[in-house]
Amino acid sequence: MGKKVNQFHSQISDADLRILRIFRTVVECGGFSAAEVELNISRAAISIAISDLETRLGFRLCQRGRSGFSLTNEGSQVYDYTLQLLSSIEDFRTNINALHQHLKGELNIGITDNLVTLPHTRITRTLASLKDKGPHVTINIRMIPPTDIERGVLDGRLHVGIVPDLKILSGLDYHPLYEETSKLYCSDTHPLFTMADQTFSKAKLKEFDAVLPAYAQTPEIKAQHQPLTASATATDREGIAFLILTGRYIGFLPDHVAERWIRDGRMRAILPEQCHYITQFSAITRKGARANLILETFLKELEKT
């Protein structure tokens, strides 16, 4: 006789949903310790919940111990199924509320880092309008890299994302927002800071160490970085700013991000007429997604601002 395999035969209860939400948070936090803060429950309680879920399902979901946290193959699949289930429940609640034309539910939005300093405050004004129209709407913002935002919108974890148009994905709809200008900067402790632009050429920039972005770029943006001597990378604009401020690196930053340091005399743009590029930003939604009154209201308000 073969070994008996446990299966999820009975109905999914509220307790099951609670444990699945805990499991989702553990995975997204990368382990029990970080999830402890996010969930505001003890590590022991999290461990018990995950063990209960494993018993309920009949297989191990993750490896945890001194070597760190990692999902098993089954755990990775259960995580994907969990996202689908929880997203469907939220869609159901939102759609039922839509029948009454009540804005009640969640808006999960992913935003690329360092956009809050943009002078075009369309996102801020849109969120304010949404809150005015739906006081009971819960807004959840995640500040994550563009690729994670795209993945989150595609798999339903996020209702909408704000990303640079670095590549166009067929499964997404794009709603243009605004453009962002980036220039090449150095800090006040860098040798180039006191040199007038007319005293050197673009070719001289290769003599200096540069920090480059460690995320996808358009060919036009890559062309601006190509002449530089790449000796450091950063996964976001804040990391690039950190390295520029050391006085050991030059690097590209959006004007609105660099403005505070320019105002304080701690940064300057280098050859701004030659070393600059423009990035288009859009709001993205999943193509063919079910109607969602909260998301529709958000997008309509976004068009107005």
Side-chain angles (χ1 to χ4, degrees):
M1 292 178 64
K3 184 179 178 182
K4 184 179 178 180
V5 178
N6 291 329
Q7 294 186 3
F8 214 91
H9 286 305
S10 58
Q11 292 183 344
I12 297 175
S13 66
D14 289 344
D16 292 325
L17 292 175
R18 175 181 172 276
I19 293 175
L20 286 170
R21 288 189 175 95
I22 291 174
F23 173 62
R24 178 188 63 180
T25 303
V26 169
V27 175
E28 293 178 353
C29 289
F32 289 19
S33 297
E36 188 176 9
V37 177
E38 182 75 17
L39 292 166
N40 196 28
I41 59 176
S42 70
R43 199 179 315 180
I46 295 172
S47 181
I48 291 170
I50 299 301
S51 295
D52 287 347
L53 181 58
E54 290 175 330
T55 300
R56 185 94 159 84
L57 295 171
F59 45 73
R60 196 165 183 81
L61 295 171
C62 55
Q63 306 292 341
R64 55 265 199 192
R66 292 183 179 179
S67 59
F69 174 86
S70 62
L71 288 175
T72 63
N73 290 334
E74 294 83 359
S76 181
Q77 292 181 61
V78 170
Y79 172 65
D80 289 339
Y81 299 151
T82 298
L83 294 179
Q84 294 172 28
L85 172 62
L86 297 179
S87 176
S88 296
I89 291 171
E90 180 55 36
D91 284 346
F92 175 80
R93 182 173 65 162
T94 301
N95 290 333
I96 292 299
N97 287 326
L99 295 176
H100 300 284
Q101 293 298 300
H102 289 164
L103 285 174
K104 189 173 182 180
E106 293 185 350
L107 178 71
N108 299 320
I109 177 171
I111 304 179
T112 303
D113 71 296
N114 292 124
L115 289 186
V116 72
T117 51
L118 268 170
H120 319 289
T121 56
R122 291 182 65 181
I123 301 171
T124 304
R125 291 199 297 269
T126 299
L127 291 172
S129 296
L130 179 63
K131 184 63 176 174
D132 290 342
K133 290 178 178 295
H136 300 294
V137 172
T138 300
I139 298 171
N140 302 311
I141 293 180
R142 297 194 66 192
M143 303 299 296
I144 50 180
T147 52
D148 291 343
I149 294 174
E150 291 165 343
R151 193 178 304 118
V153 173
L154 286 169
D155 65 24
R157 281 178 294 158
L158 298 174
H159 296 112
V160 61
I162 310 297
V163 297
D165 295 355
L166 302 178
K167 60 183 184 300
I168 304 301
L169 300 181
S170 60
L172 297 173
D173 285 325
Y174 290 78
H175 313 266
L177 290 178
Y178 35 61
E179 293 180 341
E180 172 188 83
T181 300
S182 295
K183 296 189 182 78
L184 185 63
Y185 289 94
C186 69
S187 79
D188 58 335
T189 56
H190 193 278
L192 285 172
F193 190 81
T194 56
M195 295 177 63
D197 286 344
Q198 59 267 30
T199 62
F200 64 91
S201 66
K202 195 172 180 178
K204 186 175 178 62
L205 298 178
K206 196 144 186 82
E207 299 176 13
F208 301 95
D209 289 328
V211 51
L212 268 61
Y215 44 84
Q217 299 294 331
T218 63
E220 293 76 16
I221 295 176
K222 286 181 179 178
Q224 284 288 344
H225 286 99
Q226 197 272 334
L228 304 180
T229 299
S231 56
T233 63
T235 58
D236 54 41
R237 283 93 71 87
E238 187 174 1
I240 292 173
F242 266 120
L243 289 173
I244 293 173
L245 289 167
T246 66
R248 307 298 187 269
Y249 302 89
I250 57 176
F252 280 92
L253 280 178
D255 287 350
H256 63 91
V257 174
E259 183 181 5
R260 73 191 82 169
W261 294 297
I262 294 172
R263 188 171 58 245
D264 294 340
R266 296 190 61 198
M267 274 191 195
R268 61 156 285 201
I270 306 165
L271 299 174
E273 296 300 318
Q274 302 175 53
C275 301
H276 71 273
Y277 58 82
I278 293 174
T279 305
Q280 172 71 46
F281 279 80
S282 294
I284 57 171
T285 54
R286 187 175 62 188
K287 193 168 288 185
R290 293 180 185 175
N292 178 320
L293 185 60
I294 295 175
L295 178 58
E296 288 176 0
T297 303
F298 175 83
L299 293 176
K300 285 179 181 177
E301 292 300 316
L302 196 60
E303 291 174 2
K304 293 179 185 176
T305 55

